[in-house]
């Protein structure tokens, strides 16, 4: 920002008419309320930080009851109270309910006094104070977004076009879209207290800079009032009436005719450049609103409240562009340098100066930034040189806008103000890499692509893996070999511009799969119980001979006798990485696995020794066989058809069987055994 302080001093040279009447004990001249998106508090919280920004202009002259911002606040530690209101997408026309109050503390306040020629006493000793406030709020994700509202009281009582201005408040407003649309509000450039000459047309730039590069549309609107007309620092209302209260114009005045039928006002909807002409002396309130559009969608708006002062300019002709016409639009290809002269002349032969205002000259916002050099002041003629060596990344759909100001040293100074747009044509953009961002080693190859336009040249590099396809094509195939964070980089060239895109890739090592097996013999085979001993956080899938089985910890699978098979475990971790392990099983025939003998004598006399006729084995086979017993005449004495019961020497009726030799048939597994057993008492 070049010579801005001097520019402000010249612009404020005629503010004495605003401040000279001591009968009005009022103070607020103008200002605006904006915000800056600061991002999510932490990943996944859905809570988002916003910096609140307030700009307020006060009448700091002797006629003000609060000549400084600290007088109004009572202390620099007292914050402005900004209401944050929820937007209900199902009731967009309803009143807004307060979610929270944001506190904004004053960060700077500066008194700007006129810098006048020696023989000009107009406004000498009077001033306007600019104060900047900042605060912060944390807001949850809301589908409708949020409204910001700050109210103050009261306006300058000398305002001409409002009804009862000394008892009329002022409101500052802006809208925050849902955090799914990260957005920061536009920032107005320059001072909100310009003056206009009687019976002449005065230009003024209301340019705003949008940090997101959104499309801006400027318009005149009715200034906001305060919902609660209360002096001092007051809380915002809990319920914000909708629509927001606006000021009342005197009959014959309006937002688009702030000077009445005898005046003229025009605003360029694309640049915010304005032209004013007033037919009489006075103080005039005007509001300029900026609406933000992204991809054709309205996402935000902010309204700046400003006050104009009309004065007699003593037939002074303001400086003009050389040749009478200023070139207001330029075009350059990204990566090229744009230079052009800005030359003004003064018809009256006054000394004049040139300054510019806009984020285009701030390297903290635009880098590399533009510069203005040369003779920024001169006698009747001044020529400055604008130069901007654009970078390849600065191409965008929306133009860059800055304001240029030429002013002379008359009393009051004549001023020419206009907006200049610079369209930077994109010649290429960084390529977007598509492909998996998280993957596993050892499970194959992966394809990545970065499609550019015709004539694009490609150069890929891979860190942590091997490219198994050419590196000069739009798509490459990669085999990842190193556990950890790998990296892909693709460089593309378009004309003289080179763009490089880097994408990290999370390459994970699959966890080792393992399981242990316990076995025991059952009637039909070998019962196998497997336990997954892989790392925690994995899911298991079991198969036996290629067929999926439900085989989690604690479950069992019976492997039949005289068979062979493979039990396999496949695990998957939280990254989707898999690994497998297996064990082979061979089960022998029953006779080779089960060891038993059939007794040929038993003594069921109740001494708990050899009292039962059953298979004798180190294994528990009771549930695996049936016994049928016959006497010498072939009559059935005992039958164990349900398994699990041995013969206790009694007939089925419960009577003791007599001592003697009995015939038995035993069925075990798929085998049948028969013979004789002696019952002795």
């Amino acid at each position: 920002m070049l010579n801005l302080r001097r520019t402000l001093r010249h612009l404020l040279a005629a503010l004495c008419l605003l401040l000279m009447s001591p009968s009005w004990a009022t103070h607020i001249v103008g200002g605006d309320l904006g915000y800056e998106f600061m991002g999510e508090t932490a990943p996944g919280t859905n809570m988002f930080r916003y910096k609140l920004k307030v700009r307020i202009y006060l009448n700091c002259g002797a006629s003000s009851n609060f000549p400084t911002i600290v007088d109004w606040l009572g202390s620099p530690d007292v914050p402005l109270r900004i209401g944050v209101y929820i937007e209900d997408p199902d009731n967009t026309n309803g009143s807004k309910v307060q979610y929270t109050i944001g506190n904004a503390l004053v960060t700077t306040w500066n008194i700007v006094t006129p810098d006048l020629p020696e023989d000009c006493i107009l406004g000498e000793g009077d001033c306007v104070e600019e104060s900047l406030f900042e605060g912060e709020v944390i807001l949850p994700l809301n589908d409708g977004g949020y409204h910001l509202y700050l109210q103050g009281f009261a306006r300058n009582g000398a305002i001409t076009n409002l009804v009862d201005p000394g008892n009329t408040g002022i409101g500052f407003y802006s809208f925050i879209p849902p955090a799914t649309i990260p957005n920061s509000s536009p920032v107005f450039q320059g001072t909100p207290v310009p003056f206009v000459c009687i019976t002449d047309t005065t230009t003024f730039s209301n340019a705003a800079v949008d940090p997101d590069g959104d499309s801006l549309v400027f318009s005149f609107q009715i200034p906001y009032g305060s919902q609660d007309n209360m002096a001092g620092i007051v809380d915002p209302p809990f319920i914000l009436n909708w629509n927001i209260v606006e000021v009342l114009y005197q009959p014959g005045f309006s937002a688009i005719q702030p000077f009445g039928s005898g005046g003229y006002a025009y605003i360029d909807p694309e640049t915010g450049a304005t032209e004013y002409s007033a037919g009489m002396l006075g103080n005039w309130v005007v509001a300029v609103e900026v609406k933000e559009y992204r991809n054709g969608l309205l996402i935000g708006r902010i309204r700046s409240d400003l006050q104009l002062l009309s004065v007699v300019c003593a037939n002074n002709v303001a400086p003009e562009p050389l040749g009478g016409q200023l070139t207001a639009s330029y075009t350059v290809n990204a990566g090229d340098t744009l230079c052009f002269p800005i030359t003004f002349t003064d018809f009256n032969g006054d000394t004049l100066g040139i300054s510019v205002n806009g984020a285009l000259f701030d390297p903290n916002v635009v880098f590399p930034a533009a510069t203005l050099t040369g003779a920024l002041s001169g006698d009747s003629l001044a020529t400055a040189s604008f130069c901007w060596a654009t970078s390849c990344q600065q191409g965008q759909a929306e133009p860059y806008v800055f304001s240029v100001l030429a002013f002379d040293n008359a009393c009051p100074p004549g001023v020419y103000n206009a907006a200049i747009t610079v369209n930077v044509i994109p010649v290429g953009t960084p390529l977007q890499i598509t492909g998996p961002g998280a993957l596993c080693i050892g499970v194959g190859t992966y394809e990545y692509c970065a499609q550019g336009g015709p004539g694009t040249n490609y150069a890929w590099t891979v860190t942590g893996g091997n490219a198994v396809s050419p590196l000069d094509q739009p798509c490459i195939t990669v085999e990842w070999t190193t556990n950890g964070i790998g990296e892909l980089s693709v460089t593309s060239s378009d004309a003289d511009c080179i763009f490089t895109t880097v994408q990290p890739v999370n390459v994970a090592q699959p966890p080792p799969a393992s399981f242990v097996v316990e076995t025991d013999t059952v009637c039909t085979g070998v019962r196998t119980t497997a336990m997954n001993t892989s790392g925690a956080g994995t899911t298991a899938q079991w198969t036996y001979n290629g067929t999926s089985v439900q085989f989690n910890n604690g479950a069992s699978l019976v492997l039949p006798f005289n068979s062979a098979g493979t039990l396999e475990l496949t695990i998957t971790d939280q990254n989707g990485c898999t690994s497998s392990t297996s064990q082979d099983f061979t089960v022998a025939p029953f006779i080779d696995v089960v060891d038993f003998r059939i007794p040929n004598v038993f003594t069921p006399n109740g001494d708990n020794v050899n009292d039962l006729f059953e298979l004798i084995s180190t294994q528990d086979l009771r549930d695996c066989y049936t016994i049928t017993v016959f006497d010498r005449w072939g009559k059935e004495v005992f039958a164990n058809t349900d398994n699990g019961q041995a013969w206790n020497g009694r007939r089925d009726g419960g009577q003791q069987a007599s001592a003697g030799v009995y015939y038995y048939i035993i069925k075990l597994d798929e085998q049948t055994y028969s013979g004789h057993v002696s019952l002795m008492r």
Side-chain angles (χ1 to χ4, degrees):
M1 191 175 300
L2 305 177
N3 293 333
L4 179 58
R5 180 174 177 84
R6 182 181 179 192
T7 301
L8 289 174
R9 290 197 296 265
H10 282 292
L11 284 175
L12 296 169
L15 286 177
C16 66
L17 295 182
L18 173 69
L19 309 169
M20 62 189 301
S21 174
S23 61
W24 302 106
T26 49
H27 55 289
I28 302 178
V29 175
D32 47 68
L33 164 63
Y35 60 89
E36 179 182 351
F37 179 74
M38 305 296 287
E40 197 170 10
T41 56
T45 62
N46 279 335
M47 300 293 291
F48 298 88
R49 296 171 53 235
Y50 291 87
K51 180 183 290 186
L52 304 177
K53 297 182 175 182
V54 183
R55 184 176 64 159
I56 290 182
Y57 286 84
L58 295 183
N59 169 6
C60 57
S63 62
S64 175
N65 57 336
F66 296 115
T68 72
I69 196 67
V70 175
D71 292 329
W72 186 33
L73 297 172
S75 166
D77 297 325
V78 175
L80 293 180
R81 307 274 284 168
I82 301 168
V84 183
Y85 301 86
I86 299 172
E87 169 61 18
D88 181 359
D90 296 325
N91 186 23
T92 57
N93 294 321
S95 295
K96 315 305 177 185
V97 178
Q98 185 184 111
Y99 171 76
T100 189
I101 293 177
N103 293 322
L105 291 169
V106 63
T107 58
T108 61
W109 61 95
N110 296 298
I111 296 176
V112 183
T113 56
D115 183 13
L116 304 173
E118 290 185 5
D119 57 347
C120 183
I121 62 172
L122 186 64
E124 192 172 38
D126 295 309
C127 66
V128 165
E129 181 187 74
E130 179 187 49
S131 302
L132 303 179
F133 293 76
E134 287 188 356
E136 184 177 294
V137 291
I138 297 177
L139 304 176
L141 180 65
N142 176 46
D143 291 340
Y146 295 90
H147 304 267
L148 302 178
Y149 178 71
L150 169 66
Q151 59 182 352
F153 188 83
R155 291 179 179 270
N156 193 324
I159 294 171
T160 307
N161 56 354
L162 298 187
V163 174
D164 194 16
N167 289 308
T168 297
I170 189 170
F172 304 106
Y173 168 84
S174 60
F175 176 72
I176 302 176
T180 51
I181 309 175
N183 185 64
S184 298
S185 63
V187 179
F188 284 99
Q189 304 293 302
T191 173
V193 284
F195 66 90
V196 299
C197 294
I198 301 297
T199 69
D200 197 3
T201 299
T202 302
T203 61
F204 181 72
S205 175
N206 291 287
V209 175
D210 189 80
D212 307 302
D214 295 321
S215 177
L216 304 181
V217 176
F218 297 80
S219 64
F220 288 133
Q221 298 293 332
I222 301 175
Y224 289 121
S226 59
Q227 185 167 312
D228 303 312
N229 287 338
M230 301 171 59
I233 307 301
V234 298
D235 280 347
F238 183 74
I239 300 295
L240 179 63
N241 295 336
W242 197 261
N243 293 323
I244 298 175
V245 61
E246 296 174 329
V247 300
L248 294 177
Y249 277 108
Q250 293 278 9
F253 298 87
S254 66
I256 60 176
Q257 286 188 312
F259 309 106
S261 58
Y264 165 76
Y266 167 78
I267 186 168
D268 187 316
E270 295 183 357
T271 66
T274 52
E275 296 178 358
Y276 300 112
S277 178
M280 60 180 178
L281 296 173
N283 296 273
W284 319 92
V285 169
V286 174
V288 173
E289 183 172 84
V290 180
K291 293 181 178 178
E292 297 177 79
Y293 291 85
R294 189 175 300 175
N295 300 322
L297 176 68
L298 176 64
I299 63 169
R301 57 194 177 104
I302 181 174
R303 191 174 295 186
S304 179
D305 199 300
L306 53 139
Q307 187 170 301
L308 308 177
L309 174 65
S310 58
V311 297
V312 176
C313 293
N315 296 320
N316 178 45
V317 178
E320 292 184 353
L322 185 64
Q325 186 69 35
L326 179 72
T327 302
S329 180
Y330 293 86
T331 300
V332 62
N333 289 325
D336 292 341
T337 298
L338 173 67
C339 291
F340 56 86
I342 301 176
T343 303
F344 286 92
T345 62
D346 190 84
F347 177 80
N348 301 311
D350 295 327
T351 299
L352 57 85
I354 301 173
S355 69
V356 290
N357 188 23
L360 192 56
F361 302 93
D362 185 350
N364 295 317
V365 179
V366 177
F367 186 83
T371 61
L372 191 72
T373 59
L376 302 183
S377 63
D379 186 5
S380 302
L381 181 70
T383 299
S385 179
F386 172 96
C387 269
W388 186 18
T390 66
S391 71
C392 294
Q393 288 74 26
Q394 288 177 320
Q396 63 180 38
E398 298 302 322
Y400 297 84
V401 182
F402 69 94
S403 60
V404 59
L405 181 74
F407 50 91
D408 61 25
N409 65 340
C411 181
V415 177
Y416 180 97
N417 204 324
I420 295 179
T421 61
V422 178
N423 297 279
V424 182
I425 306 301
V427 295
T429 57
L431 300 177
Q432 298 298 313
I433 299 175
T434 60
L439 46 86
C440 310
I441 296 177
V443 293
T445 59
Y446 300 85
E447 184 179 64
Y448 295 87
C449 293
Q451 297 285 354
T456 301
N457 297 314
Y458 302 88
W460 291 86
T461 59
V462 180
T463 303
N466 299 316
V468 294
S469 64
L471 295 172
D472 59 353
Q473 299 299 309
C475 297
I476 63 169
T477 302
V478 178
E479 178 185 28
W480 295 101
T481 58
T482 304
N483 183 39
I485 302 299
E487 186 177 273
L488 284 172
S489 173
V490 60
T491 298
S492 61
S493 59
D494 189 336
D496 295 329
C497 292
I498 297 176
F499 303 92
T500 299
T501 302
V502 177
Q503 177 176 307
V505 179
N506 182 17
V507 183
Q509 179 73 43
S514 63
F515 65 93
V516 296
V517 174
E518 295 179 355
T519 61
D520 64 337
T521 303
V522 295
C523 302
T524 58
V526 175
R527 180 170 51 225
T528 301
T529 301
M531 289 171 287
N532 180 7
T533 56
S534 307
T538 60
T539 58
Q541 175 64 53
W542 300 87
T543 60
Y544 183 71
N545 286 345
T547 300
S548 177
V549 293
Q550 297 297 321
F551 201 69
N552 298 321
N553 289 345
S556 62
L557 179 70
V558 176
L559 308 180
F561 293 113
N562 200 21
S563 68
T566 300
L567 181 64
E568 183 177 23
L569 167 66
T570 300
I571 61 170
T572 304
D573 67 8
Q574 63 271 21
N575 296 315
C577 298
T578 61
S579 63
S580 300
T581 187
S582 63
Q583 294 187 40
D584 295 328
F585 296 91
T586 300
V587 184
F590 174 83
I591 194 66
D592 295 337
V593 175
V594 179
D595 181 23
F596 69 93
R597 66 183 179 87
I598 302 173
N600 57 12
V601 64
F602 75 111
T603 57
N605 55 13
D607 63 358
N608 293 323
V609 178
N610 198 24
D611 281 342
L612 299 175
F613 176 61
E614 60 183 350
L615 296 186
I616 299 173
S617 175
T618 58
Q619 298 164 284
D620 185 2
L621 302 177
R622 283 177 296 179
D623 293 336
C624 301
Y625 65 90
T626 61
I627 301 176
T628 306
V629 180
F630 304 89
D631 61 16
R632 73 179 73 180
W633 297 280
K635 183 178 180 181
E636 183 179 290
V637 175
F638 172 78
N640 174 13
T641 57
D642 295 330
N643 302 337
Q645 183 179 359
W647 185 33
N648 61 3
R650 294 180 179 272
R651 294 179 179 269
D652 287 339
Q655 297 178 348
Q656 288 187 352
S658 59
V661 177
Y662 292 83
Y663 181 76
Y664 64 84
I665 298 175
I666 296 177
K667 293 183 178 181
L668 173 61
D669 188 43
E670 297 179 356
Q671 304 294 320
T672 300
Y673 303 90
S674 61
H676 295 85
V677 60
S678 297
L679 187 158
M680 301 178 63
R681 293 192 182 277

